[in-house]
Amino acid sequence: MYLQFISFWGGFWDALVNSRELFFEASQLTLALTAVSIFIAIFVGLFFALLKISNIKPLEWIANAYIYIVRGTPLIVQIFVFYYGLTNVWMISGFWSVSLGLAFHNGAYIAEIFRGSIQSIGKGQTEAGRSLGMSQSLTMRRIILPQAFRRALPPLGNQFIIGLKDSSLAAFIGVSEIFAVATTQGANTFDYMTWLLVSAVYYLILVFLLTLVVSLIEKKMAVSGSE
């Protein structure tokens, strides 16, 4: 048993070191998928959050329907719908299919995060803005949203990490991100366990870096908000 453990550890270390260039490229693609999808999802989420808190019932129904559909269907199904559905209309790469699928998925959860953050701001803030002669939209942009974004940042950070890990589903439509590279190497060497563990190391590194970035932004916004 001890010799088997030593042999496995040696093989794992060799795979980790020798494949660093291959997984570095895959990590860049994983980060690109995450960054693009989250960037789009933030705007999608904010849009549907504003629809949901509006006093116009049809708009609220649209937002609720979108959130219900996203929550009620698997992410892999949503990605496949974007991939096979959009390619029937025009040619779209696997990268953009996954990016849009992830944005569509994450947007629903981000919408709920923004909705809760906006509604947590006291009504006195809105009344103060209106008393200064600001319109409702201007009050939202200059007073409510900056405060809401600060409160939303911790759960948004968690959603960003979830989005990064969910990007592994891109492997199912041929996008060569970290998980796809790991399964390909596993198939070539008949040693899936080693390569899956190698992929886990890279995901842990990326999650650590993303967590660090979010923490720095939180501290920066906390300092600027207290000034």
Side-chain angles (χ1 to χ4, degrees):
M1 181 67 70
Y2 177 76
L3 292 177
Q4 289 179 341
F5 176 78
I6 295 298
S7 177
F8 175 80
W9 173 254
F12 165 76
W13 181 254
D14 289 340
L16 182 64
V17 173
N18 295 331
S19 64
R20 59 186 181 276
E21 293 184 2
L22 184 64
F23 275 94
F24 180 73
E25 293 180 2
S27 298
Q28 290 180 308
L29 185 54
T30 296
L31 285 175
L33 282 170
T34 305
V36 171
S37 63
I38 291 298
F39 179 78
I40 299 173
I42 288 174
F43 290 97
V44 172
L46 181 58
F47 174 74
F48 281 100
L50 294 176
L51 291 188
K52 189 163 184 178
I53 64 176
S54 68
N55 295 322
I56 305 174
K57 285 299 180 181
L59 298 182
E60 184 180 348
W61 294 339
I62 292 172
N64 286 333
Y66 162 66
I67 293 170
Y68 177 77
I69 290 171
V70 170
R71 286 179 167 179
T73 56
L75 174 55
I76 187 64
V77 172
Q78 296 165 20
I79 291 175
F80 273 40
V81 166
F82 270 89
Y83 182 65
Y84 292 108
L86 291 178
T87 51
N88 288 329
V89 180
W90 71 83
M91 293 303 298
I92 185 171
S93 67
F95 175 90
W96 281 105
S97 297
V98 176
S99 296
L100 293 175
L102 289 172
F104 176 80
H105 180 82
N106 287 308
Y109 294 93
I110 291 176
E112 287 291 79
I113 292 172
F114 278 139
R115 179 196 59 78
S117 299
I118 292 172
Q119 291 182 332
S120 70
I121 305 300
K123 293 183 179 180
Q125 298 287 331
T126 302
E127 294 172 358
R130 298 306 296 273
S131 67
L132 292 174
M134 294 183 181
S135 64
Q136 184 174 354
S137 61
L138 187 60
T139 301
M140 178 65 71
R141 290 199 309 271
R142 292 189 175 180
I143 298 178
I144 305 301
L145 286 182
Q147 296 180 72
F149 185 76
R150 289 193 185 95
R151 296 187 182 187
L153 195 53
L156 280 177
N158 291 333
Q159 192 62 42
F160 296 165
I161 292 171
I162 292 171
L164 188 152
K165 293 185 290 185
D166 284 345
S167 68
S168 60
L169 295 176
F172 291 96
I173 58 173
V175 179
S176 298
E177 45 70 63
I178 294 174
F179 182 70
V181 170
T183 53
T184 300
Q185 292 297 108
N188 292 336
T189 61
F190 302 101
D191 185 6
Y192 281 97
M193 181 58 69
T194 295
W195 292 104
L196 289 174
L197 289 176
V198 170
S199 71
V201 170
Y202 281 90
Y203 279 117
L204 288 170
I205 292 172
L206 293 182
V207 168
F208 171 77
L209 293 176
L210 184 55
T211 303
L212 183 62
V213 169
V214 172
S215 297
L216 291 175
I217 295 174
E218 285 184 31
K219 291 179 181 178
K220 177 65 176 179
M221 295 193 71
V223 171
S224 62
S226 62
E227 291 177 352

